[in-house]
Amino acid sequence: MSYLKGLVCKQCGTRYPADRSFVCLECFGPLEVSYDYAKIQSHLNPKIISQREENLWRYRELLPVTGEPITGFHSGYTPLVRSRRLAEHLGVKELYLKDETVNHPSLSYKDRVVPVALSRGAELGYSVFSCASTGNLANAVAAHCAQAGFPCWLFIPQDIEAAKISGSLICKPKVVALKGNYDDVNRLCAEIGDHYGWGFVNVNLRPYYSEGAKTMGYEIAEQLGWRLPDHLILPTAGGTLLPKVARAFQEFTDLGWVKGKCRIYCAQAEGCAPIVRSLHQDLDYINPEKPRTLAKSIAIGNPADGIYVLQEVRRSGGWGEMATDSEILEAIELLAEKEGIFTEPAGGTTLAATIKLLRQERINPEETIVVAITGNGYKTLDVFESPFEVDVTLRPNLRIFHEWYEGQQALPAGAPA
Ligand SMILES: Cc1ncc(COP(=O)(O)O)c(C=O)c1O
Ligand SMILES: [Zn+2]
């Protein structure tokens, strides 16, 4: 049974069948999937959902796939971690971390969007898949294509983190590194997609791909016991995630499954913050920027869905903040020290922005706060200028350890070892 109705232009409302279309022929606006919500409501409810397997397909009626999904059977349903020590440190009452560092199998939020793009793309007859990526998306496309057995081509900026490149290569896709930034890569991919007829998950499959991001919103609401948080802070690059989580909350509200109102905040790195600057300057357009930040996964200077981020942040009563590279690194360390979660710079940016929003009293510390930690720090060890060092290296001998230990105890507190 299909709940998928078609595609609708986000700008002018023109309707299209749910085929390979991805831009409006009338106004060049992006297309978005529409569903038969009355039918969904008569077949689905929170109780049914809560009895299903813990992966993103538990919400399948609200996703644009009509047949059986192809991948993603262990993707999504990541932990919503109730923070104790970080909450105490920040002086907030109820803090949760949506932990995408353990998403399956490629350790970022991109494990949500790719299974939806591939499953729908296969239904539309694509047999080769591709993407323009800052690293995490390439990892997800490589991994899910490997599982499905699809040939795959990845296009990345040449200067992204080594572990992100290796994490893709190990799955044996074709990888093309380009001498330019993400925005240059994306421009080329639009042309290649036209020419070669490949399914570019975030270009010509974007209307379907982006729907996968809604599952983060569904999960947050479900994991909070079918309610919305008061505040949600999300990192933003191209602008897929934030408007789709807003849409997820709206859908659950319209279906009558959750109550409340969530303020949504956008976090960016100061070296690439075109959306946050538009929020701060009260603009309704985006001034593209040339990225200069260590937060490479979110270094998109010309965000495709930037204006929709502005709209949703404003509609929700939220705001945006940016973090410098050193604030991002400090936040990465703070999160690990207080909660044992090792994030990449996107998560550091989000936590650093949250700290600023709390200081500015834009977020009430007595209310429910969710911070999205969207990617894994093991992929971005290169961001730390000096490598981590152990406290000491010893021969494996008890007397030697003992001597060293006693020496440590004799040092005044705070002295270097
Ligand atoms: C770890 C991580 N978080 C957040 C984002 C931002 O997502 P979006 O492009 O949906 O705004 C990305 C995008 O690449 C990412 O890799
Ligand atoms: Zn249109």
Side-chain angles (χ1 to χ4, degrees):
M1 187 176 302
S2 172
Y3 301 84
L4 175 58
K5 264 186 18 192
L7 299 173
V8 184
C9 173
K10 268 178 89 103
Q11 286 300 118
C12 75
T14 301
R15 295 186 172 275
Y16 296 85
D19 59 13
R20 290 187 176 202
S21 310
F22 64 102
V23 284
C24 177
L25 301 176
E26 303 294 324
C27 74
F28 298 109
L31 304 183
E32 187 161 60
V33 177
S34 69
Y35 299 88
D36 185 342
Y37 289 108
K39 196 153 135 196
I40 292 172
Q41 194 149 36
S42 66
H43 286 85
L44 193 65
N45 59 51
K47 186 155 179 261
I48 295 175
I49 294 173
S50 57
Q51 288 163 351
R52 291 183 174 170
E53 279 185 44
E54 293 184 347
N55 65 53
L56 58 88
W57 297 114
R58 68 204 266 113
Y59 312 103
R60 59 184 291 176
E61 290 84 346
L62 291 153
L63 296 171
V65 174
T66 55
E68 285 306 307
I70 289 176
T71 71
F73 303 109
H74 303 277
S75 304
Y77 220 78
T78 54
L80 184 70
V81 177
R82 175 80 193 249
S83 153
R84 189 176 59 83
R85 294 191 65 231
L86 180 63
E88 228 170 73
H89 177 83
L90 299 178
V92 303
K93 199 162 140 196
E94 201 188 345
L95 176 69
Y96 297 87
L97 306 161
K98 183 60 173 159
D99 187 3
E100 300 282 295
T101 68
V102 291
N103 213 336
H104 182 89
S106 73
L107 312 176
S108 89
Y109 117 75
K110 304 290 181 175
D111 281 319
R112 298 177 180 282
V113 280
V114 172
V116 177
L118 297 192
S119 298
R120 183 63 186 158
E123 289 179 349
L124 294 174
Y126 288 105
S127 54
V128 177
F129 290 90
S130 190
C131 70
S133 173
T134 54
N136 283 314
L137 178 59
N139 291 166
V141 172
H144 290 272
C145 278
Q147 196 212 324
F150 292 139
C152 130
W153 287 77
L154 309 174
F155 295 85
I156 51 171
Q158 155 192 56
D159 71 339
I160 64 171
E161 301 90 345
K164 282 190 182 151
I165 299 177
S166 320
S168 290
L169 286 171
I170 197 74
C171 301
K172 300 286 181 289
K174 292 280 182 205
V175 180
V176 181
L178 296 166
K179 297 174 181 170
N181 60 31
Y182 174 83
D183 300 294
D184 302 316
V185 175
N186 199 36
R187 212 171 312 115
L188 175 69
C189 286
E191 290 167 353
I192 294 179
D194 271 355
H195 197 81
Y196 288 79
W198 296 342
F200 272 82
V201 298
N202 57 338
V203 185
N204 50 21
L205 285 167
R206 197 171 180 86
Y208 305 107
Y209 154 96
S210 58
E211 287 289 289
K214 294 191 304 187
T215 60
M216 189 193 293
Y218 299 147
E219 288 173 19
I220 290 170
E222 181 178 353
Q223 290 168 318
L224 285 175
W226 298 95
R227 71 181 167 105
L228 301 185
D230 298 305
H231 308 274
L232 171 63
I233 306 92
L234 295 168
T236 295
T240 298
L241 180 62
L242 191 148
K244 289 294 177 173
V245 169
R247 186 170 188 218
F249 287 170
Q250 191 59 51
E251 287 176 327
F252 269 19
T253 304
D254 294 345
L255 286 161
W257 298 347
V258 296
K259 288 203 172 54
K261 186 171 157 27
C262 176
R263 291 172 198 265
I264 305 181
Y265 305 83
C266 157
Q268 295 200 293
E270 194 174 56
C272 183
I275 300 172
V276 171
R277 290 198 174 88
S278 290
L279 283 166
H280 288 190
Q281 293 162 24
D282 203 21
L283 306 177
D284 52 12
Y285 57 90
I286 308 279
N287 281 318
E289 294 183 6
K290 224 181 177 60
R292 216 162 290 141
T293 170
L294 57 72
K296 291 183 184 157
S297 66
I298 51 170
I300 297 184
N302 190 9
D305 290 314
I307 56 161
Y308 302 108
V309 176
L310 293 180
Q311 279 174 15
E312 292 304 334
V313 165
R314 286 176 180 143
R315 206 201 309 266
S316 77
W319 189 238
E321 257 316 332
M322 47 191 158
T324 63
D325 282 358
S326 60
E327 289 166 340
I328 294 169
L329 292 177
E330 276 170 32
I332 291 175
E333 294 191 28
L334 179 68
L335 182 65
E337 218 178 293
K338 297 293 181 192
E339 298 294 343
I341 297 173
F342 185 17
T343 183
E344 67 141 87
T349 304
T350 313
L351 178 56
T354 305
I355 293 170
K356 287 190 175 173
L357 292 161
L358 281 163
R359 281 202 196 118
Q360 295 164 5
E361 298 183 0
R362 287 185 182 272
I363 294 181
N364 181 343
E366 296 298 309
E367 297 181 329
T368 308
I369 305 166
V370 176
V371 179
I373 304 300
T374 52
N376 194 303
Y378 289 101
K379 294 191 195 181
T380 57
L381 287 169
D382 347 23
V383 299
F384 294 94
E385 259 172 29
S386 43
F388 289 101
E389 279 180 31
V390 296
D391 291 296
V392 67
T393 304
L394 302 174
R395 275 195 289 125
N397 174 294
L398 179 60
R399 186 186 46 78
I400 292 174
F401 173 73
H402 201 61
E403 276 171 14
W404 176 79
Y405 180 80
E406 292 301 322
Q408 290 287 299
Q409 301 304 304
L411 289 173

